[in-house]
Amino acid sequence: YQMKYYMYHGLSWPQLSFVAEDDKGKIVGYVLAKMEEEAEDDPHGHITSLAVKRSHRRLGLAQKLMDQTAASMVETFNAKYVSLHVRKSNRAALNLYTQSLKFQISDVEPKYYADGEDAYAMKRDLVQWASQQGLAPADPDSFFKGSKEIAATA
């Protein structure tokens, strides 16, 4: 991405991007996220980019970063789910997203990447997760409206 793209995210949604640092203060990972602006359905976020330095992988940093941004999406913007795209060939990322973070494949985007590779469009439901985490959504009435969580307790 070009620098202006990072700046746009940082200025528009400063609450949604996070970095992970090592014990010397060096950045070893980050998540860049935004809210979808043309959302026809429920408010939802989108992960633009997630990266963890190879030397710091498999330590739970990606999960921490993704959970931080998801919590902020819920608490600040009432996001009901978060989406992302991942290369079909990226087995490590697919495993992280499906196994650890409970994303589900929602679609295939043909030739999504500049090199022509297809992407999986993926979604993670944040309503049940936020409830399990004890998070306070920006607007609890609309956040839980129509969710299975409320129907089960009503």
Side-chain angles (χ1 to χ4, degrees):
Y1 297 109
Q2 292 184 348
M3 183 53 103
K4 67 180 179 182
Y5 195 63
Y6 290 97
M7 295 296 290
Y8 175 61
H9 278 69
L11 292 170
S12 300
W13 305 279
Q15 315 88 329
L16 300 183
S17 295
F18 296 90
V19 296
E21 297 179 349
D22 67 11
D23 56 1
K24 295 178 183 73
K26 295 253 192 259
I27 293 175
V28 295
Y30 74 90
V31 61
L32 184 68
K34 65 178 187 166
M35 290 300 295
E36 285 295 356
E37 295 175 294
E38 286 100 37
E40 290 110 43
D41 57 353
D42 292 325
H44 63 279
H46 184 79
I47 304 299
T48 301
S49 182
L50 171 71
V52 175
K53 194 174 175 184
R54 285 194 194 283
S55 58
H56 287 74
R57 291 186 183 164
R58 303 193 62 80
L59 299 174
L61 293 177
Q63 172 128 24
K64 275 194 166 75
L65 289 165
M66 293 287 276
D67 284 349
Q68 273 187 289
T69 196
S72 192
M73 286 175 180
V74 169
E75 293 171 337
T76 310
F77 297 104
N78 228 43
K80 290 195 173 196
Y81 68 91
V82 58
S83 64
L84 58 78
H85 290 95
V86 62
R87 287 179 178 273
K88 285 180 75 174
S89 66
N90 192 340
R91 292 280 146 222
L94 274 167
N95 188 54
L96 169 74
Y97 298 142
T98 57
Q99 302 306 308
S100 302
L101 294 167
K102 307 301 180 217
F103 274 82
Q104 294 181 324
I105 295 171
S106 58
D107 204 358
V108 176
E109 304 269 353
K111 297 180 177 47
Y112 180 81
Y113 292 98
D115 63 4
E117 185 173 352
D118 295 350
Y120 286 122
M122 303 186 78
K123 290 182 181 179
R124 179 188 189 190
D125 179 9
L126 296 180
V127 176
Q128 189 174 5
W129 176 79
S131 181
Q132 291 166 344
Q133 300 298 310
L135 297 177
D139 178 13
D141 291 340
S142 66
F143 185 74
F144 292 112
K145 186 178 184 180
S147 93
K148 295 172 220 130
E149 194 76 18
I150 292 297
T153 58

